[in-house]
Amino acid sequence: MKRLDMDCLAAISFEIRWSSPEALHREHFMARKANMWRDIFPAGMKEVLMGQPAGGESIISYQPGQAVPPRSRQDVLSTRTQNFMPREFLGRKVEPARGRFYPRGMLAGAGFFSTDIRPCRITSLDERELWVDCAHPLSDCNVEIKARVEDLAAKECETGGRMNHWMEEILGSGPGMQARAGDAPTEFAHDHGFERNDSTDDARFYSSPRFIDHIDARAREFLAGEYARELQPDMKVLDLMSSVTSHLPQDMQLQVTGLGMNPEEMQANPVLDSHVIQDLNLYQELPFNDESHDAVLCSLSVEYLTSPWAIAREVARVLRPGGIFMVGFSNRWFPPKVVRLWQELHEFERCGFVLDLLLQTGSFKDLESISIRNWWRPDDDPHIAQTRVSDPVYVVKGRRV
């Protein structure tokens, strides 16, 4: 099988780029069994892919409403605030907030079925009225799609099987939610947002070392690859909330300081040159001089911070001008210590929350969000029996002005 045709199954990696006023965005997604006979692609994509060999790629730009459903007049509506039907989550009622996304079923009083899980966004609200936008989050955006044929295989038959609508699969599952609604910041903070199931001293929880990886090997490789894009040899790097793995390229000479909770974990970390013990939920001030680091990383830990905006301000303080702050996360965490807000948010809203941490400092530019999803989980992974899909990876980054 040398070229893509109707008799192929193909692995196609998509890279989708778009921008919002505050950031650039990159979405990576692996279409693992693309069927050119059955599946649906955006206009023009199938035609440029047909005949491509493994390794071949094409790029197409789409105007607003071409790659995703276009906006219509009916997408924006207003309703009485009392028509928002709050549901309980983690023992408390979910309240409406400006800029946040909710299932349309929570607006059953406005005419939606209570079982409708399609997302809608609250763009403004007061005590009497809600304004809601039901359009696709990317309906107003120009979208560039690069498709690369990674592998080809012959189909055995066409009986049964499924038909994939690839843009619904990729762009209908959250991309766009990380952008603000207009110029107004999203209301992420609320009274109970930074409560945790286990409010006891963190030092007790982290007193015993956990020599584990929080994401699978492929996801770790992707995270390290995104970090490596911004790092140069001899950089002075601060690894916030560090543990046994820093997700840094092994072959790059860096000066790395870890700041974390467990000394045994950090002593076992092969890339750390030094480490500091500090609970950032008790003491937000970082023990470093102003403009003392070239890069600051926070890997798979931002969801445990109870004062995240204060930490973002401290990161800005210790970064040199032009220094990079990179926050990586997935959809796995320690349930007792994750904050309530993180669990409430859609995965792509979490990207928006981390972007907000950087934006609210007023100290970062060149903001970017990255998602990497739907690759194969390594065959030797201990969770392969539960899922064959690799853990998703999300990265938010920005440069110190």
Side-chain angles (χ1 to χ4, degrees):
M1 191 63 61
K2 295 183 178 180
R3 292 186 178 274
L4 183 57
D5 59 27
M6 291 293 186
D7 296 320
C8 290
L9 289 177
I12 303 174
S13 63
F14 288 96
E15 179 182 339
I16 299 171
R17 292 176 178 260
W18 60 282
S19 63
S20 60
E22 61 272 11
L24 298 175
H25 309 277
R26 247 190 309 128
E27 323 293 355
H28 298 267
F29 191 95
M30 176 61 77
R32 291 180 288 141
K33 280 189 177 181
N35 185 329
M36 305 307 288
W37 183 69
R38 285 182 181 274
D39 294 352
I40 299 173
F41 296 84
M45 182 63 69
K46 182 180 290 189
E47 290 76 7
V48 299
L49 285 174
M50 291 294 286
Q52 292 277 9
E57 59 185 40
S58 299
I59 300 176
I60 299 183
S61 296
Y62 293 93
Q63 299 296 313
Q66 291 183 329
V68 300
R71 177 180 289 281
S72 71
R73 291 182 181 179
Q74 292 73 36
D75 285 329
V76 177
L77 59 94
S78 63
T79 185
R80 289 179 296 175
T81 301
Q82 69 187 45
N83 285 332
F84 184 89
M85 306 297 184
R87 299 174 183 173
E88 281 203 358
F89 181 77
L90 300 177
R92 293 186 183 277
K93 287 185 177 181
V94 175
E95 299 295 336
R98 186 184 66 243
R100 291 279 307 280
F101 286 87
Y102 302 89
R104 296 184 195 185
M106 294 183 73
L107 288 165
F112 295 106
F113 289 111
S114 61
T115 54
D116 193 339
I117 62 172
R118 292 176 298 166
C120 64
R121 184 174 214 166
I122 293 177
T123 55
S124 65
L125 75 162
D126 56 32
E127 292 181 355
R128 294 184 300 177
E129 191 171 25
L130 287 173
W131 285 91
V132 179
D133 189 351
C134 295
H136 190 287
L138 291 175
S139 62
D140 301 320
C141 297
N142 294 307
V143 173
E144 180 187 89
I145 303 177
K146 179 168 74 173
R148 175 184 169 85
V149 179
E150 301 291 348
D151 199 8
L152 298 169
K155 286 184 291 190
E156 295 182 1
C157 69
E158 282 292 356
T159 304
R162 58 176 291 182
M163 179 179 70
N164 294 294
H165 188 309
W166 286 111
M167 288 305 103
E168 284 188 3
E169 189 88 4
I170 302 168
L171 299 180
S173 52
M177 290 185 177
Q178 62 265 59
R180 287 178 168 179
D183 298 328
T186 301
E187 292 182 346
F188 287 112
H190 62 74
D191 290 344
H192 306 286
F194 296 94
E195 293 178 353
R196 300 175 294 171
N197 288 341
D198 180 358
S199 59
T200 60
D201 189 353
D202 286 350
R204 183 186 305 171
F205 183 84
Y206 293 103
S207 61
S208 299
R210 294 176 173 87
F211 297 111
I212 59 173
D213 290 308
H214 297 277
I215 52 178
D216 66 77
R218 191 178 303 278
R220 297 197 300 274
E221 178 184 346
F222 285 140
L223 184 55
E226 287 300 324
Y227 288 167
R229 285 173 177 263
E230 304 291 351
L231 299 175
Q232 298 293 330
D234 300 322
M235 274 188 168
K236 191 171 182 181
V237 178
L238 173 59
D239 181 18
L240 280 185
M241 306 179 81
S242 184
S243 63
V244 69
T245 305
S246 291
H247 308 285
L248 289 168
Q250 297 286 334
D251 56 350
M252 188 179 294
Q253 195 67 33
L254 300 166
Q255 303 174 52
V256 187
T257 300
L259 185 151
M261 293 288 291
N262 187 280
E264 294 170 79
E265 291 177 5
M266 289 188 285
Q267 286 164 6
N269 187 326
V271 304
L272 296 186
D273 298 295
S274 60
H275 66 266
V276 177
I277 307 297
Q278 182 171 327
D279 183 349
L280 293 179
N281 287 335
L282 286 180
Y283 308 102
Q284 284 79 53
E285 185 174 347
L286 297 176
F288 307 105
N289 294 331
D290 295 357
E291 301 182 1
S292 56
H293 289 79
D294 301 299
V296 177
L297 316 178
C298 182
S299 302
L300 311 173
S301 298
V302 66
E303 60 266 33
Y304 305 120
L305 289 173
T306 57
S307 301
W309 286 278
I311 300 302
R313 290 191 295 270
E314 275 294 286
V315 168
R317 179 184 66 79
V318 304
L319 270 175
R320 293 172 180 145
I324 189 79
F325 182 25
M326 295 183 281
V327 182
F329 50 95
S330 185
N331 59 2
R332 297 171 62 180
W333 52 73
F334 292 131
K337 289 298 183 181
V338 65
V339 299
R340 175 190 172 91
L341 173 67
W342 192 263
Q343 299 174 81
E344 288 182 5
L345 295 174
H346 185 281
E347 290 187 16
F348 281 87
E349 281 189 289
R350 293 169 192 155
C351 292
F353 168 66
V354 179
L355 283 168
D356 188 73
L357 298 180
L358 277 65
L359 285 164
Q360 294 284 4
T361 68
S363 298
F364 291 96
K365 63 177 182 177
D366 301 335
L367 270 63
E368 188 173 354
S369 78
I370 301 101
S371 68
I372 307 173
R373 300 178 294 147
N374 211 46
W375 259 256
W376 290 273
R377 183 175 290 272
D379 289 336
D380 60 352
D381 187 87
H383 301 286
I384 192 70
Q386 286 78 42
T387 175
R388 299 196 65 84
V389 180
S390 176
D391 298 317
V393 171
Y394 303 94
V395 178
V396 171
K397 59 185 178 181
R399 292 198 173 278
R400 179 72 163 85
V401 297

